[in-house]
Amino acid sequence: MTFWVIASYFLGGIVAYVLARPSRKIGAFVALLFSIYPLYALIPALDGGFYLRFTVIPYYLHLSFRLTLLGWFFALIAATLYSLSLFSAYSEKRDSFFLLSSMFSAGGLMGVFLAADYLTLFIFFEIMAFFSAFTFIREHRRSALKYIIYSLVGSYAFLAALLVINRSTGSLEITPLSGFGGSVPAVMSLFILAFWVKSAVMPFHPWAPSAYADSPHSYTPFFSGALSKSGVYGLVLAFFYIFAGFFKSHHAFGYIFAWIGALTALFAGIYALLQDDAKKLLAYSSISQLGYVAFGLGLGTSLSITGSLFVALGHAVFESLLFFVIAAVYIRTGTTMLTEMGGLIKKMPISFIALLFGIIAAAGIPPTVGFPGKWMLYEAVLEKGYPLLAGAIFAASITAFLYCYRLIYSIFLGPLKKEFRDVREAPFPALVPLLLLLIPLLFFGLFPGYVVDVTDSILREFGYLGVPHTPAKLLSGLGTFNGLAVGITMGAAFVIAFLVHAVFSRSRKVSELNNYTAGEVAEGVSMHYVADFYKFIERELHGFLKLRVEALFNWIAEGIGGLGEVLRRVYAGDIQAYLVYLILFLGFLFTLYRGVLRW
Amino acid sequence: MGLFRWSQSRSLWMMHFCTGCGAVEMPPTMTSRYDMERFGIIPMATPRQADILLITGYLTVKTLKRVVRSYEQMADPKYVIGFGSCTINGGMYWDSYNTVKQLDLYIPVDLYIAGCMPRPDSIIDAFVKLREMIAKGEANGWKRYRENLEWYRTNQAKVFNVEKWSAIEP
Amino acid sequence: MVILEFFLVLIGITALGLLYGGIARKWSARIQRRYGPPFYQNFLDVFKLLGKKNTKSHGVMFALGPVIAFTGIILSLFFLPLGNSRPLLSFEGDIFVLFYLLVIAPLGMALGAGEAANPNATIGIARGLTLMLGYELIFFLSAIAVMVKFNTASLWKIVEIQGTFPKWNLFPFFLSAFAGLIALQGMMGEKPFDLIVAPHEIASGPMVEYNGKYLGLLQLYHAIAIVVETGLFVNVFLGGGSILTFILKTFFVFMLAVTIDNIMPRFRIGQAVKFYWKYPLIISLLGILVVFIWR
Ligand code: SF4
């Protein structure tokens, strides 16, 4: 069955590719069917314990799969998001090649989550990386290549680590490692680099904003919500399973990683509020949320890991919801620039409501799915007694309020632009994911306990204690959070407030030109305060904003570019060239492995 | 209803549309020497929040347009106080080509304060008078404006020298 | 019975907030050597606003904005213990929950004001959110010093542990409390941090288009917000006690803020944020350092 969970995507990709040629509708429908099967197969498979091994090339290449609870958790998120993204893709009229490559990337992702040995993990990781880049390489070559190159750097490191591990243990199976002395930190760093890059935690984030912004709008929700989770998955696996012994005995490592995560959350949040492109804004917001995840993993207490997994789930729900809204808006307006939109609330009310709930969750306000995870992280950091770290992530969460407001204001509030006078609500298929994602967004916010049930079992597999909870209530030993109580009180308070509002005399609706403008009528003047929204912050942080990791990487890239000039003479410099590099490098590593160069 | 009317008479938020020289008498009225906050009267920033529109002095035709717009943006009940001789009969600008001579042809004025310029004492006096009028239900210029909108519009259009006019263009 | 108690708290605190506002106006007037309005002036203002007719709305979100703001503040009120006599809902959510609930109200108001298409409103909101980057962080850092020391996140427990007068947190945590007080000034939007409303620059900012009953709702929200924000500070730093002492303490904290408000000019937004990131930040970090040395 696990085999078919993965194979369904690859098979479906090919079938959809063929069928989408004559008829786009049938292709999309078939793709949807093939993508729903894994979802259907995964939901009851909670008990896990499944192992499958089959041989591709005798003696040389075996693929093996296993359904662990952790893998199940992430695979379910990924499968759901992928199916939803197909609805949006249908409205966007994506072509057959998109279906093929996106299906393959989803299949690769499933393979990552279900892999039972390192080689399978590596292969599917590569499939995922390449095919996700193929979805947008035709339109946005530069950012796709940037993404591939960053991925490759991580993959090579992973491959090197894999070979070292194989050399010392003689097996490729994913099991906890013990021993091989002083080289563990080095191996572990190599190992996690790939996942670090993929989860876009700083300083390896520069690929993410451009890749998220340039990927197809319907694919980005999956890209950011699910693909980045492969990084989280790898980090969890490395910290709490494979290198658990090392991680538990070296607190400094976890502490540093927690700081990296917290600073990622903070800095990405600051960058997010300065972006003019909605998708770039969300991309930085996505990086910021994954910073929280990394932070929680670094702290390494059961509360913080649960928090991290919860944030990972929450991020998958609300970030992809937000990206889906942008996709829906783009279908009607043809732009993602915040400065070019405005006032769409009157034209696209359903999208507005979805975005509203999305930003409430992204800002982490209870009772939505965004809050319990963050709450657990705060409790965890308090329990550990690191007030500065707590301050850093709290500052990061304030930036979330800022960029969230900017997002909703610029797109939906403010005056309506002239050119959008007769825009309609987005087509129904594009609205399906919005409406469906609202359910987990509210449900897991009100009843966080149901998610903690799953994460508790995951933690127990890793030998940690669970977090005490009931369906609606989480207890941390330091404090409590009752999602349902917040929800009910909020509902009651809203009723009271609404009654106060409704009792008094009705109001009259006035046109947006009927504004207090000192008696002037501002016709033909843009009254949308949207460009340079947070100029004040930009001004104050001027010095800080000039320091960018990207500059460092660019500097390195220039150096390499000099070398590359030589190779450029030989190869045309297109995607094939990079494949050749890959093969050459594989060959190099193979020689390494054969023992030409001994470690 | 009684409660509302009573509180309406006791809490008056004022927007002073500083058009003419008389506005200079407002600061002493607001600040320590005369302190109009005693009567619950405080200046407001926008017509949306205001109850009183205070026209301080002469109005040019150009300004009148803005005054009418601001007036129509206020929520009911709303009151207008004409301040100084200029609003009553043009005052010392009685023969000027571009000032409005009689304010209540264009917006309904509840109360005039005579004088050129009126002292803060008389301004306070006017506010107290307005309070009494509101409490008694006599200050209903806003009702008159709504009932006779056509008449006011015609007058406004005439002085703006246009065919037809509405305060906020669609 | 429980519901009745909540209603009583809600009505009582609203009335209290309005009363505070009125007394504060009287107090400012006395500082400025004026006579000032009657102490019940804010009640009159709210009644008048609620009774206004023909109010203008710019759309659904515009109308819902004040409603959400009011909802948010009621919600935070219920999660705030009133001294150590009334826990209300504070066992269902701790101080972190309260921090996030406190954001709902400004966010609701910002959403509503955003629909008005008035740039003054949005400038006010952008300023308010930017300022949040200053004061929220400072308040958080000063509160977390206490939380780390007591090893709890529950506001109720913090109140209980510190007990009554001489054992107030104010004394051992005076640095944190001082930073918290500065943060409170910004949280309540009093001078020198009143740049969100700034009537003379941006025509009362987010409130620029609100009129009639909407403005009345916002006044009610503001009244409760006074008690909730000062109450948060009181609970963390000024110990417990009966509900009466709680009221007295919030009153004094508020009056202190109003007094400072009266003798201060207004910051530009850049200056305000920079200010918060400088001295109060250093003070609150020192406060945390004190906790670590003390342990
Ligand atoms: S009435 Fe006198 S003081 Fe007032 S505006 Fe006219 S001329 Fe100036």
Side-chain angles (χ1 to χ4, degrees):
Chain A
M1 181 213 70
T2 308
F3 171 73
W4 280 107
V5 167
I6 299 161
S8 169
Y9 284 109
F10 291 103
L11 194 65
I14 294 165
V15 175
Y17 179 71
V18 174
L19 290 181
R21 281 286 159 104
S23 157
R24 202 174 54 77
K25 270 186 191 166
I26 296 176
F29 184 68
V30 167
L32 185 66
L33 280 188
F34 273 97
S35 77
I36 281 177
Y37 170 72
L39 197 58
Y40 164 77
L42 275 173
I43 287 174
L46 184 51
D47 43 10
F50 187 93
Y51 186 80
L52 176 109
R53 179 186 164 91
F54 75 102
T55 307
V56 182
I57 306 165
Y59 304 112
Y60 280 99
L61 190 57
H62 310 283
L63 298 179
S64 57
F65 301 101
R66 185 173 52 182
L67 188 61
T68 60
L69 211 51
L70 183 69
W72 178 82
F73 180 72
F74 283 112
L76 202 59
I77 293 175
T80 316
L81 286 187
Y82 184 70
S83 295
L84 290 179
S85 82
L86 281 177
F87 283 99
S88 196
Y90 172 75
S91 284
E92 275 185 359
K93 306 190 170 39
R94 292 281 160 199
D95 62 359
S96 52
F97 183 70
F98 170 80
L99 287 179
L100 178 81
S101 44
S102 74
M103 274 294 230
F104 272 41
S105 68
L109 183 61
M110 280 300 155
V112 170
F113 290 148
L114 302 182
D117 68 80
Y118 294 118
L119 197 61
T120 315
L121 186 64
F122 176 75
I123 290 171
F124 280 98
F125 203 77
E126 289 307 291
I127 292 176
M128 172 188 85
F130 274 91
F131 281 98
S132 55
F134 287 166
T135 56
F136 60 107
I137 201 161
R138 289 169 301 171
E139 300 95 3
H140 301 280
R141 197 185 169 71
R142 221 186 129 71
S143 45
L145 286 182
K146 193 170 167 187
Y147 167 55
I148 289 184
I149 288 169
Y150 271 94
S151 296
L152 281 186
V153 170
S155 314
Y156 291 156
F158 178 72
L159 198 60
L162 186 161
L163 293 176
V164 178
I165 290 170
N166 184 28
R167 190 104 190 117
S168 60
T169 64
S171 126
L172 276 173
E173 195 151 339
I174 302 182
T175 47
L177 280 180
S178 51
F180 60 82
S183 64
V184 174
V187 178
M188 180 167 160
S189 310
L190 284 176
F191 187 88
I192 63 173
L193 194 63
F195 303 109
W196 195 329
V197 171
K198 191 59 73 179
S199 58
V201 172
M202 284 176 184
F204 302 111
H205 67 286
W207 62 269
S210 57
Y212 288 167
D214 290 341
S215 54
H217 304 301
S218 56
Y219 184 72
T220 323
F222 175 71
F223 200 167
S224 127
L227 274 189
S228 62
K229 295 296 172 314
S230 65
V232 177
Y233 172 76
L235 290 177
V236 174
L237 213 58
F239 288 165
F240 307 113
Y241 189 63
I242 302 172
F243 300 99
F246 171 79
F247 190 77
K248 262 188 190 154
S249 56
H250 292 73
H251 289 296
F253 182 84
Y255 185 68
I256 291 168
F257 200 77
W259 264 111
I260 290 172
L263 291 180
T264 302
L266 177 58
F267 292 163
I270 291 173
Y271 286 127
L273 53 91
L274 303 175
Q275 302 303 316
D276 277 342
D277 184 346
K279 287 190 83 183
K280 278 230 166 89
L281 187 151
L282 285 178
Y284 275 112
S285 136
S286 183
I287 297 171
S288 173
Q289 299 293 337
L290 285 163
Y292 281 99
V293 177
F295 163 79
L297 296 183
L299 280 187
T301 63
S302 52
L303 200 58
S304 80
I305 304 166
T306 314
S308 278
L309 292 175
F310 208 113
V311 173
L313 169 75
H315 169 258
V317 174
F318 62 73
E319 204 75 53
S320 45
L321 173 65
L322 295 176
F323 273 120
F324 275 128
V325 176
I326 303 298
V329 169
Y330 183 85
I331 291 172
R332 287 302 186 217
T333 63
T335 177
T336 62
M337 294 304 286
L338 294 175
T339 44
E340 289 167 11
M341 289 183 270
L344 290 174
I345 176 174
K346 297 188 177 78
K347 304 291 170 189
M348 311 177 80
I350 299 175
S351 313
F352 170 75
I353 290 167
L355 191 77
L356 180 62
F357 278 97
I359 65 152
I360 289 174
I365 292 170
T368 55
V369 74
F371 184 72
K374 289 200 180 117
W375 180 82
M376 281 185 270
L377 292 181
Y378 285 125
E379 301 286 321
V381 71
L382 186 61
E383 191 180 61
K384 279 252 178 180
Y386 298 146
L388 291 186
L389 266 177
I393 58 163
F394 190 72
S397 74
I398 304 169
T399 62
F401 305 140
L402 272 73
Y403 62 69
C404 281
Y405 181 73
R406 183 168 188 209
L407 185 72
I408 195 162
Y409 170 74
S410 310
I411 299 177
F412 285 103
L413 303 176
L416 186 67
K417 288 262 152 67
K418 261 211 192 71
E419 54 268 40
F420 301 137
R421 283 271 156 84
D422 26 53
V423 156
R424 279 173 299 134
E425 180 58 270
F428 181 70
L431 293 178
V432 169
L434 306 188
L435 298 174
L436 288 182
L437 279 173
L438 282 181
I439 299 168
L441 188 134
L442 284 174
F443 183 79
F444 292 138
L446 291 171
F447 300 101
Y450 288 118
V451 181
V452 179
D453 279 339
V454 179
T455 55
D456 267 2
S457 334
I458 293 174
L459 285 189
R460 257 180 244 116
E461 275 183 13
F462 296 147
Y464 284 85
L465 290 173
V467 175
H469 66 277
T470 62
K473 196 166 179 174
L474 303 176
L475 304 148
S476 71
L478 302 177
T480 44
F481 166 63
N482 188 335
L484 196 61
V486 174
I488 290 176
T489 323
M490 188 185 245
F494 186 80
V495 170
I496 296 173
F498 194 81
L499 283 180
V500 175
H501 159 88
V503 159
F504 297 98
S505 69
R506 291 173 61 86
S507 57
R508 196 162 53 83
K509 190 142 171 347
V510 293
S511 90
E512 67 179 43
L513 284 174
N514 191 345
N515 243 329
Y516 167 64
T517 39
E520 284 297 330
V521 173
E523 190 148 43
V525 184
S526 172
M527 300 283 276
H528 208 198
Y529 175 75
V530 61
D532 291 335
F533 198 85
Y534 291 120
K535 188 74 180 172
F536 337 112
I537 302 176
E538 208 172 334
R539 224 182 272 140
E540 298 310 319
L541 291 176
H542 186 64
F544 161 75
L545 290 173
K546 273 195 293 195
L547 295 172
R548 307 197 62 154
V549 225
E550 229 177 318
L552 175 71
F553 286 139
N554 283 344
W555 182 74
I556 296 172
E558 259 167 43
I560 295 175
L563 281 170
E565 271 305 300
V566 184
L567 285 168
R568 214 184 162 77
R569 306 263 153 77
V570 189
Y571 300 108
D574 62 359
I575 190 70
Q576 288 165 3
Y578 292 93
L579 279 172
V580 172
Y581 299 158
L582 175 65
I583 291 164
L584 275 180
F585 197 84
L586 281 176
F588 170 66
L589 285 173
F590 187 69
T591 43
L592 225 67
Y593 170 59
R594 292 267 77 162
V596 177
L597 289 166
R598 298 221 167 255
W599 284 89
Chain B
M1 222 52 251
L3 177 70
F4 285 139
R5 183 175 293 166
W6 179 65
S7 52
Q8 270 159 15
S9 73
R10 294 297 178 116
S11 155
L12 291 165
W13 292 355
M14 170 194 73
M15 194 181 73
H16 44 291
F17 208 106
C18 297
T19 53
C21 28
V24 81
E25 291 294 337
M26 286 320 290
T29 319
M30 286 178 214
T31 47
S32 313
R33 181 73 175 84
Y34 291 97
D35 185 24
M36 68 184 184
E37 203 186 358
R38 279 182 292 163
F39 304 101
I41 302 167
I42 44 171
M44 274 291 144
T46 84
R48 294 276 185 216
Q49 303 159 351
D51 308 301
I52 308 177
L53 182 61
L54 192 66
I55 310 290
T56 58
Y58 60 82
L59 264 181
T60 61
V61 174
K62 206 172 165 185
T63 322
L64 180 64
K65 215 174 218 170
R66 276 77 191 168
V67 168
V68 173
R69 279 184 195 135
S70 300
Y71 178 69
E72 292 191 0
Q73 284 183 342
M74 290 162 69
D76 299 341
K78 49 191 172 185
Y79 318 101
V80 180
I81 296 182
F83 177 111
S85 320
C86 280
T87 54
I88 303 173
N89 56 11
M92 66 188 275
Y93 300 100
W94 61 276
D95 59 349
S96 166
Y97 66 99
N98 68 343
T99 56
V100 170
K101 305 298 174 320
Q102 194 184 340
L103 181 60
D104 59 8
L105 287 177
Y106 311 104
I107 49 174
V109 181
D110 291 287
L111 207 68
Y112 279 117
I113 310 173
C116 174
M117 48 193 59
R119 296 274 304 139
D121 325 35
S122 42
I123 302 171
I124 299 270
D125 194 33
F127 285 143
V128 174
K129 189 85 202 308
L130 186 68
R131 256 167 85 151
E132 282 163 14
M133 284 170 72
I134 295 168
K136 278 192 223 142
E138 286 168 6
N140 40 21
W142 54 281
K143 278 188 197 151
R144 261 183 286 140
Y145 189 74
R146 211 191 301 161
E147 281 155 14
N148 307 320
L149 188 62
E150 271 312 300
W151 185 77
Y152 282 110
R153 278 272 183 271
T154 329
N155 286 349
Q156 288 159 6
K158 209 191 285 167
V159 74
F160 298 146
N161 211 357
V162 287
E163 278 286 291
K164 219 167 129 33
W165 191 75
S166 81
I168 309 283
E169 277 92 347
Chain C
M1 206 51 227
V2 182
I3 291 177
L4 198 70
E5 191 198 328
F6 279 121
F7 262 106
L8 278 180
V9 166
L10 177 59
I11 292 169
I13 295 292
T14 315
L16 198 66
L18 290 174
L19 193 65
Y20 282 8
I23 296 173
R25 279 171 73 176
K26 192 90 187 168
W27 176 236
S28 312
R30 301 312 296 183
I31 292 175
Q32 296 162 3
R33 300 196 168 199
R34 287 187 288 121
Y35 187 75
F39 68 90
Y40 52 85
Q41 183 64 46
N42 277 12
F43 289 94
L44 299 179
D45 287 352
V46 168
F47 286 138
K48 173 202 74 179
L49 285 171
L50 290 177
K52 285 209 115 179
K53 295 195 192 71
N54 195 8
T55 49
K56 278 108 178 167
S57 151
H58 279 270
V60 181
M61 200 62 229
F62 181 85
L64 277 183
V67 175
I68 296 176
F70 197 43
T71 309
I73 204 72
I74 295 175
L75 193 57
S76 359
L77 172 66
F78 287 161
F79 279 80
L80 180 85
L82 306 179
N84 59 2
S85 57
R86 281 281 177 284
L88 298 180
L89 285 176
S90 59
F91 285 114
E92 303 295 340
D94 54 23
I95 196 164
F96 296 115
V97 180
L98 187 59
F99 269 128
Y100 275 84
L101 291 180
L102 270 174
V103 180
I104 297 177
L107 202 63
M109 187 160 119
L111 286 171
E115 205 189 353
N118 192 321
N120 283 324
T122 323
I123 291 171
I125 293 161
R127 286 181 181 188
L129 289 167
T130 309
L131 193 64
M132 206 183 242
L133 212 48
Y135 67 76
E136 286 270 349
L137 179 63
I138 305 301
F139 198 89
F140 182 85
L141 284 177
S142 55
I144 203 152
V146 177
M147 287 190 264
V148 167
K149 179 73 180 83
F150 291 167
N151 199 25
T152 180
S154 155
L155 206 47
W156 175 258
K157 272 206 188 123
I158 290 176
V159 176
E160 280 230 306
I161 293 174
Q162 39 179 327
T164 46
F165 173 61
K167 288 193 267 164
W168 285 2
N169 274 346
L170 177 67
F171 306 121
F173 296 94
F174 64 98
L175 283 172
S176 297
F178 184 52
L181 212 54
I182 300 174
L184 197 66
Q185 197 78 6
M187 200 186 273
M188 296 202 295
E190 303 281 3
K191 285 193 196 89
F193 306 107
D194 70 332
L195 29 73
I196 303 165
V197 176
H200 319 97
E201 289 173 59
I202 49 171
S204 72
M207 260 113 75
V208 60
E209 283 295 313
Y210 278 115
N211 53 12
K213 62 176 178 181
Y214 302 117
L215 203 54
L217 267 175
L218 288 178
Q219 296 273 321
L220 288 178
Y221 145 68
H222 189 67
I224 304 180
I226 290 173
V227 182
V228 171
E229 283 156 5
T230 51
L232 185 57
F233 181 83
V234 166
N235 278 335
V236 178
F237 291 109
L238 296 185
S242 70
I243 193 152
L244 208 70
T245 50
F246 173 80
I247 289 172
L248 272 178
K249 283 175 205 160
T250 50
F251 179 69
F252 278 109
V253 173
F254 180 59
M255 280 302 139
L256 183 62
V258 171
T259 313
I260 297 170
D261 173 88
N262 268 299
I263 54 173
M264 284 281 178
R266 181 189 305 142
F267 272 135
R268 266 192 293 114
I269 177 67
Q271 290 171 326
V273 176
K274 218 172 192 164
F275 170 77
Y276 268 130
W277 288 343
K278 245 186 232 160
Y279 306 108
L281 186 66
I282 293 170
I283 295 171
S284 58
L285 290 181
L286 283 178
I288 289 174
L289 196 69
V290 168
V291 172
F292 271 88
I293 293 170
W294 186 8
R295 276 213 294 209

